[in-house]
């Protein structure tokens, strides 16, 4: 079902599958805990109420941390209160992170204690911050608020009207080619990117989320798309433990980048000669059937290798400025040498060999960077910076 706000995604799935597990995560070494869609919706509403109580509803709310239930609740509670979420890279140096908090005009900063160094620095470097919230602290202390103490003081049921074209998220690009840019994405951008294509995934789909959640690829395709489908999303707590966590959570799908796929391929190649069903069971589990790939070039040979084990690789293409998916592959229509077909909400053209795209996923612009916005958006068309074209069947070919 097409949804045009993130709140619509959560409300519809919570109404349809209230007792279905939405999130699973490790609690201790090998113990799994979970939260249902009803609990996820309620906790998101409580965090919306927290922002209202603090007088920060409608403001910009920065969040940093590894993927966690608290991070997800913070994000949903922020955007579904009509506020703007600013997800930050947990690996950024503290000074760079404080600079982005300042540039985004955030008044609240929700921080995972894994970055306790940022907590201390933000108090000094970010004068516009009115509240700093720790995801782990059990009590308010030393000018830092406790996430769960704030949550426990509120009740579920918060609701406000969200407009599809309302700003939901400012997502900073990596800045590898200059100053990082704050990509402004609306509810429509993100929600329609996640829901405009029915990939016909079964409701019992179990996803293992292994990528950084502050990236649009993970946030939209693991979480927003997963939530809209009623999937169960499992949180991988460390790339070092991914193989163990695959056996623990028994996912049916994983979103990866090509480097990770190539690492998994080495395991398969090392087992060449053994029965394919035995190898698949040992590496992925019998229930595993698909990997979604994006973010970089994937050698076509990978599709053949994984195909031997009954695993489809579904390639896609996108960029943060398009929330992020531009094209993707569905299991019943895989075409090698392409990065999938354009999403239904996207159209494309080639201008001087460069691929331009337009549609409901294209960003509003770069936050407080009008010149850079004007260079990238031309009459509603997003200049991708990639060379390529779309064939008569809607498949995207990248040529450079």
């Amino acid at each position: 079902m097409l949804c045009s706000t993130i709140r619509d995604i959560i409300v519809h799935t919570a109404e349809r599958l209230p007792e279905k597990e939405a999130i699973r995560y490790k609690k201790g070494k090998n113990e799994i805990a979970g939260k249902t869609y009803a609990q996820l919706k309620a906790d998101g509403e409580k965090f919306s109420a927290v922002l209202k109580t603090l007088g920060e509803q409608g403001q910009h709310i920065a969040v940093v941390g590894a993927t966690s239930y608290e991070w997800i609740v913070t994000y949903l509670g922020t955007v579904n209160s009509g506020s703007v979420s600013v997800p930050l890279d947990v690996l950024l140096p503290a000074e760079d992170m404080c600079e982005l908090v300042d540039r985004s005009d955030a008044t609240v900063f929700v921080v995972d204690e894994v970055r306790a160094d940022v907590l201390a620095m933000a108090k000094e470097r970010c004068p516009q911050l009115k509240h700093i919230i720790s995801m782990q602290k059990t009590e308010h202390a030393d000018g830092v608020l406790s996430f769960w103490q704030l949550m426990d003081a509120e009740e579920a049921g918060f609701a406000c009207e969200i407009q599809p074209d309302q700003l939901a998220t400012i997502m900073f690009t990596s800045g590898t080619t200059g100053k990082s840019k704050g990509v402004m994405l609306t509810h429509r951008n993100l929600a329609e990117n996640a829901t405009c294509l029915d990939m016909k995934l079964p409701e019992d789909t179990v996803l293992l989320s292994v990528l950084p959640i502050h990236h649009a690829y993970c946030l939209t395709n693991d979480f927003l798309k997963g939530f809209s489908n009623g999937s169960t999303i499992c949180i991988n707590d460390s790339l070092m433990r991914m193989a163990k966590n695959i056996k623990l959570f028994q996912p049916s799908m994983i979103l990866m980048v090509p480097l990770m796929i190539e690492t998994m391929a080495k395991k398969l190649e090392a087992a060449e000669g053994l029965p394919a069903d035995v190898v698949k069971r040992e590496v992925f589990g019998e229930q595993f059937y698909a990997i979604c790939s994006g973010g970089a070039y994937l050698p076509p040979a990978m599709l053949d290798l994984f195909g031997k084990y009954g695993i489809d690789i579904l390639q896609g293409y996108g960029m943060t400025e398009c929330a992020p998916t531009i094209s993707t592959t569905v299991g019943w229509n895989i075409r090698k040498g392409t990065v999938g077909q354009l999403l239904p909400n996207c159209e494309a053209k080639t201008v001087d060999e460069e691929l331009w795209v337009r549609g409901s996923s294209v960003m509003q612009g770069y936050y407080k960077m009008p010149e850079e916005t004007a260079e990238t958006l031309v009459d509603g068309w997003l200049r991708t910076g990639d060379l390529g074209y779309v064939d008569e069947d809607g498949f995207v070919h990248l040529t450079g």
Side-chain angles (χ1 to χ4, degrees), residues 14-193:
E15 288 176 350
R16 186 166 56 92
L17 301 166
E19 299 309 313
K20 173 87 182 289
E21 274 195 329
I23 303 288
R24 285 184 191 145
Y25 51 91
K26 286 167 72 172
K27 188 178 181 182
K29 194 171 182 180
N30 290 307
E31 184 183 347
I32 297 176
K35 298 287 186 179
T36 67
Y37 275 99
Q39 289 172 313
L40 178 65
K41 175 177 176 287
D43 283 339
E45 290 168 353
K46 285 183 181 181
F47 191 78
S48 294
V50 165
L51 294 179
K52 183 177 181 180
T53 298
L54 293 176
E56 301 302 325
Q57 183 184 356
Q59 301 302 311
H60 294 187
I61 314 300
V63 57
V64 67
T67 305
S68 66
Y69 184 66
E70 290 82 0
W71 197 106
I72 296 160
V73 168
T74 297
Y75 182 81
L76 294 177
T78 297
V79 299
N80 291 341
S81 71
S83 310
V84 178
S85 181
V86 185
L88 299 176
D89 182 352
V90 70
L91 298 179
L92 277 178
E95 288 191 2
D96 293 354
M97 203 176 295
C98 288
E99 180 200 341
L100 295 184
V101 170
D102 261 340
R103 284 180 51 202
S104 67
D105 296 318
T107 59
V108 177
F109 194 12
V110 185
V111 185
D112 188 316
E113 286 286 337
V114 72
R115 292 307 307 266
D117 59 320
V118 178
L119 281 173
M121 185 176 289
K123 290 180 184 178
E124 299 176 4
R125 301 283 183 91
C126 305
Q128 87 287 0
L129 278 180
K130 296 179 182 177
H131 305 283
I132 298 176
I133 301 172
S134 163
M135 293 183 189
Q136 285 84 17
K137 284 189 185 299
T138 55
E139 294 181 347
H140 307 325
D142 303 321
V144 176
L145 301 173
S146 159
F147 177 88
W148 285 109
Q149 191 172 347
L150 290 169
M151 291 280 287
D152 289 343
E154 303 293 346
E155 293 183 1
F158 180 96
C160 70
E161 187 175 354
I162 302 293
Q163 298 300 324
D165 295 320
Q166 198 167 326
L167 182 61
T169 300
I170 298 173
M171 195 166 277
F172 282 96
T173 58
S174 60
T176 51
T177 56
K179 187 177 182 181
S180 60
K181 299 185 278 287
V183 177
M184 296 190 293
L185 298 173
T186 66
H187 277 264
R188 188 190 304 278
N189 292 157
L190 292 155
E192 294 193 7
N193 195 264

Side-chain angles (χ1 to χ4, degrees), residues 371-385:
E371 292 181 7
E372 289 82 352
T373 298
E375 289 172 5
T376 306
L377 294 179
V378 180
D379 296 327
W381 290 91
L382 171 67
R383 301 180 60 179
T384 67

Side-chain angles (χ1 to χ4, degrees), residues 42 212 217 234 245 254:
Y217 179 39
C234 307
N245 287 338
I254 304 178

